Structure formats: structure tokens, C-alpha cells
């Protein structure tokens, strides 16, 4: 079949596209191929590989992250995943799950502040990849009250394929135990809950996560700013780094150390608040790839970037466009797991030594008891 690559126009509908004479079309932003003859989206390994390789080449050209054979390479070479025999055996009989989550959360009694923060966590690509890759396994967790276990459970529920609204009851109960100040059914501040949940995730997860200190002052002096605020869809953070303070002249010229793309961040979620400081309602927008949705507790509706940018923003969430890491660097969660495994083996050895010591002491006591019995028997005979 001859495949003609075209980019979907923003005003193109499914009906007008179906009437087209094209054999197939592809969305250049996501690489999704639509077959006009099949009237459905199709998957092809060769096309997917070609799209990924082309996209990465374009990103390297823009961001300045080059892959070379030297030891100072700033980016690890891209390797397309090819399932080996072990992977094929593990995937055998596995049920396919959706690649994106659009599931509303039930309001458990003025818990809209919790729902919007959880939706922001769920649409964070770094958190999503961490928990869906089983980097935190509840079965091997040693914490009694674990926020990371609740996050793992939440991602499992949201990506289960069930579209009915989900009630995060256990997450709410865990947050009450970890943060007694937020306990109860009173309306809480979304930002305070976000900082509390973020620190709880940090304290109960393996590897390194960024932790932020948050100190609240006199709440009576705080007030809400209702004036419209423009928020960007993407932002370059280079002018706000220490590099800008060290060399203001180069900063004014737009010259920063390292690849230019390393300072770019993209908007992926926005939390909105309607009402005053003591009362109101939280909603939020969230993005998966280039598709936006609006979440109002259990109600989920399709939306656009323009609607998100024009909304009364209370909190904005950005993610780094290009991650910088050392070439062939071992992930921190792998190092943490290996370290914990060694620690567990050391504990087992210590326990085994203690058991041997107790066993030897018991045998010595038993031997002494047998000697005493023998002496008593001899005394009895001569008596």
C-alpha cells in the first residue's frame, strides 16, 4: 500500500478526511498513522521506528544535544526497543492497557484540592514513567504508611482501562496520617497539599527525587490575586538560573552555557481556583502529548491549549523538554535497589549468626543439664 504522509490541518474533521483520496495520513506531532481504507489508526513497527529516529534527530539539531563517540557526549544514543525472548515471554497473555488516562476522580467531601493535585501528578510524564515501570513495588515496600505505594495504586487504577470515576479514598486516608494538619473534611489549599504530598513521595520512594522546603507564615496576611495573569505554554528558565547572575552581560545577549534547549520547559498542567481564600472550588487542565482535557472532579471534557492559557491559573506545572544526564549512567533507583538488597543480605547474615550463637548456647546448656542428671543418678546409686 502506498502511504502518503500529510499533516492533519487544525480544521480538518474526520468526515472531510474520509472523503479525501489519500491512502493514509499521519499526524506529524505524534506519528499516529490513519488508514483511510481501514478507517482506523494502524501500527507499523518500521514507521514507528522511523518516526522516533527522525524526531530525535530533529531534537538534537534544535537542542544542541549531540551524540558522538567521545567521552564528553551529552546524550545517550537512542536504541529502539527490540523485545528479546524474555520480554516476549513476559508479555505473553498480558492485557493491553491504554497509553493515556482520562479518568475523573470522585469528590469525597470538599476534596477538589486533592483531585486537581493528583491529576497533575498523573499527567507528569516523569512520575508516570517511574510508577508504570514498577520502580516502586508495594510488595517489597517496608513502609507502613507509604505515599509512594498509594501513587503506584493510583496509577494502576487510572490506567486500568476503567472509565468510571475513581475515588482516591486510601490516598486521602494516607495523607491524613502523614499530614495531620490537612486531616478532616474542611477545604484545604491545593498548594499546601501539593508540597505535603511531594515531600511524602520523596521520603517513601527509592532513588533521588527533588524535595522542596515550604514554610508557611501567618496565613491571616495572605490574599488571593484575582487579576488576570498571562502564562506561557513554554518557558526558557536560563535567565532565572545562577548562570544569569554570574554573567549578566551574556545573559542580556541570550548566551548561556551548554546546549540552548536544556533550559526549555513545557506546560503540562494548570490548576484553577474559583472563589475566595476560605471557600471555592478547584478545577484543572492537563495535557497528554498535544491533547488537552479539563478535569472537574469526576467530569472530564476535551479542551484546548488556548482555553487552558485563558483560564484563571492558580498553579502551573512545567516539565523539562530535554533531560540532561550522563551517558550510560546507571539510574539512581537501580543503585538504591542494589544497595537495599545488600543491606538485606547483611541483615540475614547477622540474624543467622545470632541464631547460631543461640543454638550453640542452648546445646551447651543442654549438655550441662545431662551432666547434672548423670551426677544425680550416681549419687542415688551410692546412697
Amino acid at each position: 500500500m502506498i502511504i502518503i504522509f500529510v499533516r492533519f490541518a487544525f480544521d480538518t474533521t474526520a468526515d472531510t478526511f474520509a472523503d479525501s483520496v489519500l491512502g493514509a495520513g499521519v499526524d506529524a506531532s505524534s506519528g499516529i498513522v490513519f488508514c483511510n481504507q481501514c478507517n482506523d489508526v494502524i501500527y507499523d513497527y518500521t514507521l514507528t521506528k522511523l518516526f522516533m529516529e527522525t524526531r530525535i534527530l530533529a531534537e538534537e539539531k534544535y537542542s544542541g544535544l549531540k551524540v558522538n563517540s567521545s567521552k564528553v557526549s551529552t546524550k545517550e544514543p537512542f536504541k529502539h526497543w527490540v523485545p528479546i525472548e524474555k520480554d516476549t515471554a513476559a508479555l505473553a497473555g498480558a492485557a493491553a492497557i491504554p497509553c493515556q488516562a482520562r479518568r475523573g476522580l470522585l469528590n469525597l467531601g470538599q476534596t477538589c484540592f486533592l483531585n486537581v493535585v493528583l491529576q497533575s501528578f498523573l499527567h507528569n510524564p516523569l512520575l508516570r514513567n517511574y510508577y508504570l515501570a514498577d520502580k516502586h513495588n508495594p510488595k517489597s515496600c517496608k513502609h507502613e504508611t507509604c505515599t509512594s505505594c498509594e501513587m503506584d495504586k493510583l496509577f494502576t487504577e487510572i490506567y486500568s482501562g476503567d472509565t468510571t470515576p475513581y475515588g482516591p479514598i486510601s490516598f486521602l486516608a494516607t495523607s491524613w496520617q502523614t499530614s495531620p494538619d490537612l486531616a478532616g473534611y474542611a477545604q484545604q489549599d491545593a498548594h499546601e497539599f501539593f508540597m505535603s504530598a511531594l515531600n511524602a513521595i520523596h521520603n517513601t520512594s527509592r532513588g533521588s527525587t527533588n524535595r522542596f522546603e515550604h514554610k508557611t507564615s501567618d496565613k491571616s496576611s495572605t490574599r488571593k490575586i484575582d487579576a488576570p495573569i498571562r502564562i506561557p505554554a513554554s518557558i526558557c528558565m536560563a535567565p532565572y538560573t545562577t548562570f544569569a547572575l554570574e554573567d549578566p552581560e551574556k545573559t542580556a545577549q541570550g548566551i548561556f552555557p551548554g546546549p540552548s534547549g536544556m533550559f526549555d520547559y513545557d506546560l503540562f498542567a494548570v490548576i484553577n481556583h474559583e472563589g475566595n481564600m476560605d471557600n471555592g472550588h478547584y478545577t484543572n487542565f492537563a495535557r497528554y502529548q498535544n491533547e488537552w482535557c479539563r478535569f472537574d472532579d469526576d467530569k472530564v471534557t476535551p479542551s484546548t491549549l488556548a482555553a487552558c492559557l485563558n483560564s484563571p491559573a492558580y498553579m502551573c506545572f512545567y516539565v523539562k523538554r530535554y533531560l540532561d544526564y550522563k551517558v550510560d549512567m546507571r539510574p539512581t533507583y537501580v543503585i538504591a535497589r542494589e544497595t537495599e538488597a545488600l543491606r538485606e543480605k547483611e541483615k540475614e547474615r547477622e540474624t543467622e549468626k545470632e541464631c547460631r550463637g543461640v543454638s550453640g548456647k542452648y546445646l551447651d546448656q543442654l549438655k550441662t543439664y545431662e551432666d547434672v542428671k548423670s551426677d544425680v543418678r550416681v549419687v542415688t546409686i551410692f546412697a
Side-chain angles (χ1 to χ4, degrees):
M1 180 178 66
I2 299 177
I3 297 180
I4 303 174
F5 291 90
V6 296
R7 183 169 185 172
F8 295 148
F10 290 106
D11 57 349
T12 300
T13 62
D15 295 334
T16 58
F17 183 76
D19 295 335
S20 173
V21 296
L22 298 176
V26 62
D27 182 1
S29 61
S30 63
I32 297 177
V33 179
F34 182 86
C35 177
N36 193 18
Q37 184 176 357
C38 305
N39 196 29
D40 197 0
V41 175
I42 62 174
Y43 172 80
D44 182 80
Y45 174 81
T46 304
L47 293 177
T48 303
K49 181 180 179 181
L50 177 63
F51 171 77
M52 288 299 299
E53 292 175 347
T54 305
R55 181 176 180 177
I56 290 173
L57 287 175
E59 290 178 352
E60 291 174 358
K61 182 178 179 181
Y62 167 75
S63 64
L65 295 173
K66 301 297 182 182
V67 177
N68 51 53
S69 58
S70 65
K71 295 182 179 180
V72 294
S73 175
T74 58
K75 193 173 188 299
E76 187 174 350
F78 170 73
K79 298 178 182 178
H80 198 80
W81 179 63
V82 179
I84 59 178
E85 184 178 352
K86 182 180 179 181
D87 298 331
T88 305
L91 293 172
I97 62 175
C99 58
Q100 55 180 307
R102 295 177 179 173
R103 189 175 182 183
L105 299 176
L106 295 174
N107 192 315
L108 305 176
Q110 298 195 72
T111 58
C112 56
F113 71 94
L114 175 138
N115 290 344
V116 293
V117 172
L118 293 186
Q119 290 289 1
S120 301
F121 284 158
L122 289 167
H123 287 81
N124 185 317
L126 301 181
L127 282 178
R128 179 196 64 213
N129 295 345
Y130 180 86
Y131 285 102
L132 291 184
D134 198 29
K135 301 299 173 36
H136 182 89
N137 193 323
K139 295 182 179 179
S140 59
C141 182
K142 301 294 190 299
H143 299 280
E144 294 183 1
T145 304
C146 182
T147 305
S148 281
C149 289
E150 290 298 329
M151 286 295 299
D152 183 86
K153 178 181 178 181
L154 180 65
F155 273 98
T156 302
E157 290 290 343
I158 298 301
Y159 281 86
S160 64
D162 189 354
T163 58
T164 58
Y166 172 70
I169 300 175
S170 59
F171 200 110
L172 178 63
T174 300
S175 67
W176 286 358
Q177 297 179 40
T178 56
S179 301
D181 295 341
L182 300 177
Y185 289 99
Q187 178 68 269
Q188 303 292 344
D189 180 64
H191 182 253
E192 290 185 5
F193 174 74
F194 167 74
M195 300 306 301
S196 173
L198 197 64
N199 286 336
I201 292 173
H202 166 85
N203 294 330
T204 56
S205 63
R206 294 174 173 176
S208 299
T209 56
N210 293 329
R211 185 181 182 183
F212 300 90
E213 295 295 335
H214 178 60
K215 297 180 180 179
T216 56
S217 57
D218 185 11
K219 293 185 179 180
S220 61
S221 61
T222 59
R223 63 186 181 88
K224 181 183 176 183
I225 302 175
D226 291 319
I229 299 176
R230 289 198 321 175
I231 57 175
S234 60
I235 184 172
C236 177
M237 295 298 296
Y240 312 101
T241 62
T242 55
F243 300 119
L245 298 176
E246 295 172 356
D247 199 338
E249 294 183 0
K250 289 185 177 180
T251 301
Q253 300 175 6
I255 302 175
F256 302 99
S260 59
M262 294 306 300
F263 301 99
D264 293 342
Y265 287 74
D266 295 321
L267 183 71
F268 72 88
V270 170
I271 291 178
N272 311 113
H273 181 263
E274 298 176 358
N276 52 41
M277 288 289 297
D278 301 325
N279 194 12
H281 182 61
Y282 286 100
T283 59
N284 77 291
F285 291 85
R287 171 178 64 88
Y288 176 80
Q289 292 185 354
N290 290 329
E291 298 180 8
W292 286 87
C293 285
R294 184 177 182 271
F295 295 86
D296 184 357
D297 288 332
D298 57 321
K299 296 179 285 295
V300 183
T301 55
S303 188
T304 62
L305 173 61
C308 176
L309 297 179
N310 292 327
S311 64
Y314 180 68
M315 295 176 63
C316 301
F317 297 85
Y318 292 81
V319 63
K320 199 169 187 179
R321 187 177 302 172
Y322 306 107
L323 299 180
D324 51 335
Y325 48 84
K326 296 179 181 179
V327 178
D328 300 325
M329 182 183 70
R330 298 174 67 234
T332 54
Y333 72 88
V334 174
I335 299 175
R337 283 185 175 181
E338 293 178 352
T339 303
E340 187 171 345
L342 292 174
R343 192 181 296 114
E344 290 293 331
K345 288 184 179 180
E346 189 65 28
K347 287 183 180 179
E348 290 178 1
R349 293 195 190 99
E350 293 295 333
T351 304
E352 187 177 353
K353 288 181 181 180
E354 292 178 0
C355 291
R356 287 179 181 177
V358 173
S359 178
K361 185 177 181 180
Y362 174 75
L363 290 175
D364 292 340
Q365 292 177 351
L366 182 62
K367 183 177 180 181
T368 304
Y369 174 73
E370 292 294 337
D371 292 341
V372 171
K373 283 180 61 179
S374 178
D375 293 340
V376 172
R377 192 175 302 166
V378 171
V379 171
T380 304
I381 292 174
F382 280 98

